[in-house]
Amino acid sequence: MNAKFSWDEPQDLAEVYTALRDKLSAEQRASLESKLGPKRSFLDQFHFTLRNSLFVCKEIIHRPELLCRLIESNALEHSLSQQGFIQQLTFDSNIEEKQLDQLLREVRAIAMMRIIWRDFNRVSDFNETTNDLSFLARASISTALNYHYAQLEVTFGTPRCSQGKKQPLLVLGMGKLGANELNLSSDIDLIFAFPESGNTDGQRELSNQEFFVRLGKKIIQSLDAQTADGMVFRVDMRLRPYGQSGALVYSFNALEEYYHTQGREWERYAMVKASVVANNGDSDHSTRLMTMLREFTYRKYIDFSAIDALRNLKKMINQEVKRRRLDEDIKLGAGGIREIEFTAQVFQLIRGGREPSLQDNRLLSILPILGFLKYLPSEAVDSLTDAYLFLRNTEHAIQGYNDEQTQRLPSSTEAQGALARVLTYDDWPTFYAALQNHRQAVKEVFANLIAEPEDQNPDVEIESACISLWQQRLDKPTAVKQLSEYKHENPELSFALLQELEEWASLSSMHSSSRARLDDFIPVLLALINQQEHPTETLQRLIKLIKAIARRGAYLLLLKENPGALAQLVKLSEASPWIADTMAEQPALLDELLDPGSLYNPPPKSELESELQRSTLRIAEDDLETQMESLRYFRSAHVLRVAASEITGVLPLMKVSDYLTEIAEVILQYTLTLSWNEMVKKHGYPDGEVRTSPNFIIVGYGKLGGIEMGHGSDLDLVFIHGSTANGSTDGERCIDNQTFFMRLGQKIIHFLTTAMSLGRLYEVDMRLRPSGNSGMLVTSLSSFEKYQMNSAWTWEHQALVRARVVAGDKALSQGFEDIRVSILKQQRDLKTLAKDVVEMRHKMREHLGSGKNQEDKFHLKQDAGGIVDIEFMVQYGVLAWGHSHPALITFTDNIRILESFVDSNLLEAHEVNQLSEAYKAFRTVGHRLTLQQQPNLVDAGYLTAERKNVISIWQKLMRDD
């Protein structure tokens, strides 16, 4: 039906019509009338798009001429190839960078209006929409790559390998971009790679690595920067090797080395969808790169380890969904897009090496293959396919409404109405019912495939007396008698604790449903407590946790529906009040109890690094609060695992210290990288030296340096930088190097010590830096060396025995180690050395020991014959004999240094054995006391043999009678 386009209609779109009428020329208005007027369906599409997309409305109001160009080009009536987008991005060779960025954003704005119009009106199908978006991204990346490569060539020449061949940059698209499945407001996950190392051939020579780092940054800037014209795509580089702490660009050899020696299971999942999306060289480079990556992704054997890896990934997502309340997220929530993707990918990783047809990276191509190969029933394939299309179309409707990167269902009536209309439903309830049906179908398929089974521990019998005890149905004498029969060591106290909880003020104001849930939970908990060796003590420790989670139904349900997790909680709380208090302060850690396999199996450092990378992968670098909270949860979860393993005897003392030290090292490296990136972004690079890693090291002293961390240990740190003293940074907000590094150090300390809802990461002690509290927070390597050579006290050289670099630049680390070795190898006068060490020891004992009023006590660390005596003897030995026995300087932990005394024939084997056994015994008791929240004091008659041995050797070695 023909209809005339009227400038007076409709009222609800008055602002758009006003902008078109006022900002367009008469010629443009006439052209618009002629295009929109003849076909009622075309005008209806126009109005439907405006009513369901605030983004399109805003773009037209801001730049109405773009609508004219879109309509006049007939672009709304057909799809575009990637080459079509590239043609739109054709530019003059003399174009300036600012003009290029403007062109990229203008083409993106027109493309998004066109894609939303066609998608919302169902002129295009799902495949066309995702292809268009992916082609736009690929064309934008290629355009930025070609432009900036040419610009850098002018300055630095062409990057070439040793054979003289020109080296291109390859951009690897991950996730939905790699599979041509982009959504309407997606970011793009990229990895940059180049074939071979070498140098540029210009007068201002650069290594290929440096050239491509500059190029990568330019590409990111052109795509990701927010200007007056908006942005093109948000760029995420954190899927590259080592995440944000890794180099921005890697050679093929470096990538191959990483993936085949350090690649993790989750990175195999990430590689399933990868493809080269831009390459300014020939296609052979792309083929070579993808062949190498396929060898990493797909194993030649049936690989069922993928199921366990997927379970772990899904568990992490579920925890994130709970913590961030993402139940209404159609991607991450139960039955969402991610579960469909995981279902397909697990088969790809298990069987892709044997079945090349499974190596396709497009999900809608894989699902039918799974049915054909009988890996999934045909009805499951149909359900997943229908659900995927429904959920992805829903995702487009959500994101096309206001160009926001979200998969969360809208809460406003207007947005809900728009979403229902775009999905062709009459109203929101009808749409939501259809959505829930699809999600339920996905949940069932996913659960049948890989969901972990419920804990199979036998249910604890809940006797009626447990219910009566809690609901106060028994009088006090009867209740106390019943508790006595349950072997409560103090039944009257147990009764008082239950009565106190019942009378707790917060319970009286609790919602009836929450109170009912608590009333169901307490008898179950009480029945488990009754089976422990010390029920009263266990109940007392758990009261604080009960109060912490009483109003939080998710945690009560977690424990009630997972009897194995509840059993672990009760068992560990009986063993350690420290664990019970930690759980009460951080109830989110209850998630860690769901899997005893991981709870009692702390991961090695490489897996810690990988897990931290995964857990922070989608957090923006500038979102420091979320970064800090994520790190605190990460630390608490892993320290809990170590404590649980120690309490139950799974881990010996030395392994406990190893794990606690590695946790700290991983956190320090991450914190340094994050802080460095923020400082560089704000101020530029010190001395203008573009680096992939900070020119900075963190040196650990004391327990951290000696790989002897305990629960609650603070961090003794020294910060050292490797830049010139008089230089400055190269950013717009330029500052001198010393100020830069001082602020970097302050930022690291702030990151570690700030109190948040999950507490602090660590207490930090910087007093071991040159000149102590009066010295600079950060010193240069040369200044550190000068101080150690000319001004340091003997006790500072003692501290250096246990010093080592725990995070930072490798070259600078080696420089520090060279200085450390040089200082420790100095020949010293033994009498003077012994005198200095003994005097310092006496001062410490006087100020920090058990004291005159506690002569019946032995302070494990500070009293005569204790830990510090052993440490001081070790330090004395290294300083006394290091010049003639360099092996003594190799290690920083006391046990291995002691062993080197025997190897060097400096101490008798039986003496070293006595010192080692005493040291381990003292530390083991110290760990246990910490977990029992008790001070490092024991009865004076305890560990007397070990103590006497230490005193005897001290007097012999130090001549301290």
Side-chain angles (χ1 to χ4, degrees):
M1 184 175 83
N2 292 338
K4 183 179 180 182
F5 175 75
S6 170
W7 291 102
D8 297 324
E9 63 173 358
Q11 289 301 311
D12 57 330
L13 299 174
E15 189 176 1
V16 176
Y17 272 70
T18 298
L20 290 172
R21 185 172 55 248
D22 294 348
K23 293 185 179 182
L24 297 180
S25 65
E27 183 180 351
Q28 287 174 320
R29 289 198 298 271
S31 175
L32 194 60
E33 289 179 26
S34 68
K35 292 290 183 180
L36 288 174
K39 295 181 180 179
R40 166 57 64 181
S41 62
F42 202 60
L43 185 58
D44 287 343
Q45 288 177 17
F46 176 58
H47 288 159
F48 188 81
T49 304
L50 295 179
R51 288 188 172 114
N52 296 305
S53 175
L54 291 178
F55 166 73
V56 173
C57 289
K58 291 175 183 176
E59 285 296 311
I60 292 175
I61 292 169
H62 178 53
R63 294 180 287 187
E65 71 280 0
L66 297 185
L67 175 66
C68 293
R69 287 170 51 185
L70 186 63
I71 292 178
E72 288 170 359
S73 65
N74 295 320
L76 290 167
E77 300 180 21
H78 56 78
S79 60
L80 274 179
S81 64
Q82 182 172 338
Q83 189 59 38
F85 284 109
I86 290 175
Q87 289 175 355
Q88 291 183 13
L89 288 166
T90 301
F91 55 84
D92 185 270
S93 59
N94 295 321
I95 192 173
E96 294 183 358
E97 184 174 333
K98 184 177 180 180
Q99 294 172 305
L100 172 76
D101 293 348
Q102 187 175 3
L103 172 64
L104 287 166
R105 283 152 180 77
E106 184 177 286
V107 169
R108 191 259 185 190
I110 294 175
M112 289 294 289
M113 289 171 61
R114 172 187 155 277
I115 292 169
I116 290 172
W117 179 306
R118 289 176 60 80
D119 182 83
F120 279 22
N121 287 287
R122 293 295 175 259
V123 178
S124 65
D125 62 12
F126 166 76
N127 284 325
E128 181 187 317
T129 297
T130 54
N131 276 335
D132 275 4
L133 290 163
S134 302
F135 291 158
L136 170 65
R138 288 172 180 243
S140 300
I141 296 167
S142 293
T143 300
L145 164 59
N146 292 331
Y147 174 83
H148 290 300
Y149 190 101
Q151 294 297 309
L152 288 172
E153 270 189 303
V154 173
T155 305
F156 301 107
T158 301
R160 300 188 183 277
C161 66
S162 57
Q163 291 79 30
K165 295 180 180 178
K166 179 177 179 179
Q167 295 297 290
L169 180 70
L170 284 77
V171 181
L172 199 65
M174 309 295 287
K176 289 183 170 64
L177 173 60
N180 282 347
E181 296 171 344
L182 275 189
N183 52 52
L184 276 172
S185 190
S186 180
D187 58 3
I188 51 177
D189 295 286
L190 306 179
I191 294 176
F192 295 145
F194 63 96
E196 296 181 50
S197 297
N199 297 289
T200 61
D201 59 7
Q203 290 186 346
R204 294 178 60 185
E205 181 182 295
L206 288 179
S207 70
N208 289 354
Q209 175 79 23
E210 292 175 287
F211 180 92
F212 288 120
V213 165
R214 291 173 185 254
L215 175 58
K217 289 180 177 180
K218 285 289 188 180
I219 294 171
I220 294 170
Q221 178 73 14
S222 282
L223 299 175
D224 189 88
Q226 186 76 39
T227 71
D229 299 310
M231 71 187 324
V232 188
F233 287 96
R234 288 172 291 269
V235 178
D236 193 333
M237 300 297 300
R238 288 176 291 176
L239 286 178
R240 69 188 189 267
Y242 305 107
Q244 61 191 17
S245 64
L248 186 66
V249 188
Y250 286 87
S251 69
F252 285 7
N253 285 342
L255 282 177
E256 184 172 27
E257 171 71 15
Y258 172 82
Y259 286 119
H260 285 279
T261 61
Q262 300 187 53
R264 309 297 170 207
E265 287 296 320
W266 70 267
E267 288 175 301
R268 291 179 62 205
Y269 277 95
M271 280 298 168
V272 166
K273 289 183 177 292
S275 68
V276 175
V277 297
N279 172 13
N280 65 327
D282 59 55
S283 60
D284 289 345
H285 294 302
S286 297
T287 302
R288 177 184 161 197
L289 177 59
M290 291 310 301
T291 299
M292 180 264 288
L293 293 175
R294 274 193 293 270
E295 290 174 356
F296 161 69
T297 307
Y298 301 106
R299 307 291 161 80
K300 296 186 181 299
Y301 49 86
I302 304 299
D303 180 20
F304 282 98
S305 68
I307 290 183
D308 284 336
L310 182 53
R311 284 174 175 159
N312 291 333
L313 281 172
K314 182 57 182 172
K315 185 183 301 180
M316 290 177 62
I317 292 172
N318 287 344
Q319 292 172 346
E320 189 72 7
V321 168
K322 281 189 289 185
R323 280 195 288 274
R324 294 174 55 193
R325 300 178 182 177
L326 297 177
D327 296 318
E328 293 293 83
D329 189 298
I330 62 168
K331 178 181 179 181
L332 299 179
I337 295 168
R338 182 59 57 82
E339 287 189 1
I340 303 175
E341 293 174 337
F342 277 175
T343 300
Q345 288 168 349
V346 72
F347 284 111
Q348 290 181 274
L349 292 181
I350 291 173
R351 300 181 181 275
R354 292 279 185 91
E355 293 284 352
S357 61
L358 290 174
Q359 294 184 15
D360 195 305
N361 63 4
R362 299 165 296 173
L363 187 134
L364 289 177
S365 298
I366 288 296
L367 288 176
I369 295 173
L370 296 178
F372 176 78
L373 296 174
K374 308 298 184 185
Y375 295 150
L376 281 178
S378 58
E379 57 270 21
V381 170
D382 292 342
S383 293
L384 292 178
T385 301
D386 292 344
Y388 184 73
L389 290 170
F390 183 92
L391 291 168
R392 289 299 308 274
N393 283 326
T394 300
E395 179 182 47
H396 288 161
I398 292 171
Q399 296 179 341
Y401 182 71
N402 200 24
D403 194 23
E404 292 179 335
Q405 188 188 17
T406 179
Q407 284 87 12
R408 194 189 291 268
L409 292 173
S411 56
S412 71
T413 303
E414 295 80 4
Q416 288 178 347
L419 174 55
R421 288 191 295 272
V422 172
L423 270 290
T424 70
Y425 286 91
D426 293 333
D427 52 45
W428 177 255
T430 307
F431 158 78
Y432 193 77
L435 171 66
Q436 293 301 85
N437 288 336
H438 282 298
R439 293 180 72 173
Q440 184 59 36
V442 174
K443 285 166 62 176
E444 290 175 2
V445 174
F446 186 72
N448 289 334
L449 177 65
I450 62 154
E452 269 188 302
E454 285 291 314
D455 196 301
Q456 298 301 311
N457 287 347
D459 291 336
V460 177
E461 182 181 354
I462 306 171
E463 299 182 23
S464 59
C466 293
I467 299 174
S468 299
L469 282 167
W470 168 239
Q471 295 181 356
Q472 301 288 296
R473 294 177 185 172
L474 306 177
D475 57 49
K476 181 176 179 180
T478 305
V480 170
K481 180 182 178 183
Q482 186 66 63
L483 289 165
S484 296
E485 292 175 359
Y486 282 131
K487 309 299 183 186
H488 282 242
E489 68 273 26
N490 189 339
E492 294 217 359
L493 176 57
S494 294
F495 177 78
L497 290 169
L498 290 171
Q499 193 169 39
E500 175 203 338
L501 185 60
E502 173 63 34
E503 294 171 357
W504 182 39
S506 294
L507 290 191
S508 60
S509 60
M510 188 178 292
H511 191 276
S512 58
S513 61
S514 299
R515 179 58 195 261
R517 188 176 292 129
L518 182 67
D519 288 341
D520 288 341
F521 169 72
I522 295 293
V524 179
L525 175 66
L526 193 56
L528 268 174
I529 289 173
N530 290 341
Q531 297 181 359
Q532 306 308 306
E533 188 174 348
H534 303 100
T536 300
E537 190 174 52
T538 306
L539 175 61
Q540 190 169 22
R541 291 173 180 178
L542 284 167
I543 289 292
K544 184 178 177 181
L545 173 66
I546 295 170
K547 290 181 177 180
I549 66 174
R551 291 178 170 274
R552 303 162 82 171
Y555 292 125
L556 288 175
L557 285 174
L558 181 153
L559 291 171
K560 189 172 184 298
E561 297 299 325
N562 292 276
L566 182 57
Q568 295 298 332
L569 172 65
V570 174
K571 170 185 173 183
L572 293 173
S573 296
E574 182 190 35
S576 168
W578 181 88
I579 288 184
D581 283 354
T582 299
M583 289 292 189
E585 292 164 3
Q586 303 179 42
L589 293 174
L590 291 170
D591 289 348
E592 301 301 318
L593 303 178
L594 292 174
D595 183 4
S598 64
L599 179 63
Y600 299 108
N601 186 27
K605 186 175 181 180
S606 59
E607 292 183 22
L608 283 173
E609 292 169 335
S610 182
E611 182 179 329
L612 181 56
Q613 183 178 339
R614 292 195 305 270
S615 65
T616 57
L617 199 58
R618 296 296 177 184
I619 304 175
E621 282 194 15
D622 57 359
D623 186 356
L624 292 184
E625 182 175 353
T626 305
Q627 292 275 4
M628 291 166 76
E629 289 285 14
S630 179
L631 262 187
R632 279 153 179 74
Y633 181 85
F634 172 84
R635 176 188 180 270
S636 296
H638 285 287
V639 169
L640 172 65
R641 293 186 190 183
V642 175
S645 300
E646 181 177 11
I647 287 169
T648 54
V650 174
L651 287 180
L653 168 71
M654 304 300 285
K655 283 293 184 181
V656 168
S657 293
D658 287 349
Y659 279 119
L660 292 175
T661 302
E662 288 171 355
I663 292 168
E665 290 173 356
V666 169
I667 289 173
L668 285 169
Q669 182 60 61
Y670 183 89
T671 302
L672 169 57
T673 301
L674 191 68
S675 302
W676 169 267
N677 289 343
E678 186 182 357
M679 288 294 297
V680 166
K681 185 176 181 180
K682 185 181 294 185
H683 300 292
Y685 291 91
D687 296 327
E689 181 187 6
V690 178
R691 300 175 57 88
T692 57
S693 65
N695 193 8
F696 188 96
I697 54 174
I698 300 176
V699 182
Y701 280 71
K703 288 185 174 66
L704 174 61
I707 319 175
E708 295 170 350
M709 292 276 287
H711 299 285
S713 292
D714 59 6
L715 302 182
D716 292 295
L717 304 179
V718 169
F719 297 153
I720 298 175
H721 73 81
S723 295
T724 60
N726 300 321
S728 60
T729 64
D730 63 351
E732 290 184 9
R733 298 169 64 181
C734 172
I735 57 177
D736 64 87
N737 287 350
Q738 189 60 46
T739 301
F740 176 95
F741 287 111
M742 180 190 68
R743 291 181 183 175
L744 175 62
Q746 290 171 336
K747 193 174 291 292
I748 292 169
I749 294 172
H750 171 77
F751 208 101
L752 295 171
T753 61
T754 298
M756 304 186 72
S757 61
L758 294 178
R760 292 178 172 85
L761 277 171
Y762 293 98
E763 295 291 345
V764 173
D765 191 336
M766 300 294 297
R767 289 175 294 177
L768 287 173
R769 68 185 186 268
S771 301
N773 285 338
S774 63
M776 300 290 288
L777 183 65
V778 185
T779 185
S780 68
L781 187 63
S782 58
S783 295
F784 178 84
E785 180 178 23
K786 182 179 178 181
Y787 178 85
Q788 291 291 338
M789 288 289 188
N790 302 321
S791 305
W793 296 81
T794 298
W795 66 265
E796 291 177 288
H797 286 174
Q798 286 179 247
L800 203 59
V801 170
R802 302 217 299 168
R804 64 187 180 89
V805 176
V806 294
D809 182 73
K810 289 183 179 180
L812 196 57
S813 299
Q814 186 58 54
F816 168 83
E817 182 59 21
D818 292 342
I819 293 170
R820 174 182 174 272
V821 169
S822 176
I823 296 294
L824 297 182
K825 286 177 66 176
Q826 289 178 352
Q827 188 166 357
R828 294 168 172 84
D829 178 79
L830 298 189
K831 288 184 178 180
T832 303
L833 175 63
K835 177 177 176 292
D836 289 346
V837 173
V838 169
E839 286 180 356
M840 178 56 68
R841 181 68 192 101
H842 286 172
K843 288 180 182 178
M844 290 182 66
R845 191 177 300 152
E846 181 179 345
H847 289 91
L848 302 172
S850 57
K852 295 179 180 179
N853 296 328
Q854 292 182 307
E855 292 181 355
D856 60 336
K857 297 293 184 183
F858 168 49
H859 193 291
L860 290 167
K861 184 175 181 182
Q862 296 294 346
D863 278 348
I867 289 174
V868 177
D869 277 4
I870 301 173
E871 292 176 341
F872 270 42
M873 282 189 279
V874 168
Q875 292 160 16
Y876 169 81
V878 173
L879 295 178
W881 306 317
H883 69 281
S884 57
H885 296 84
L888 303 184
I889 303 169
T890 304
F891 302 112
T892 60
D893 61 292
N894 288 305
I895 296 298
R896 285 190 291 183
I897 296 175
L898 282 169
E899 291 170 353
S900 68
F901 288 162
V902 176
D903 296 338
S904 301
N905 296 314
L906 295 168
L907 287 179
E908 296 293 336
H910 75 277
E911 293 177 323
V912 166
N913 184 62
Q914 288 175 346
L915 291 175
S916 297
E917 291 305 313
Y919 191 69
K920 287 187 275 189
F922 296 154
R923 290 189 60 225
T924 298
V925 173
H927 275 234
R928 186 168 68 243
L929 290 172
T930 298
L931 293 174
Q932 295 299 322
Q933 296 180 325
Q934 296 176 12
N936 275 330
L937 289 171
V938 296
D939 290 337
Y942 189 50
L943 297 170
T944 53
E946 290 84 354
R947 192 177 175 189
K948 286 180 180 177
N949 288 335
V950 174
I951 292 173
S952 175
I953 298 171
W954 170 271
Q955 291 171 344
K956 174 184 173 183
L957 183 63
M958 307 306 300
R959 303 170 188 84
D960 179 22
D961 298 324

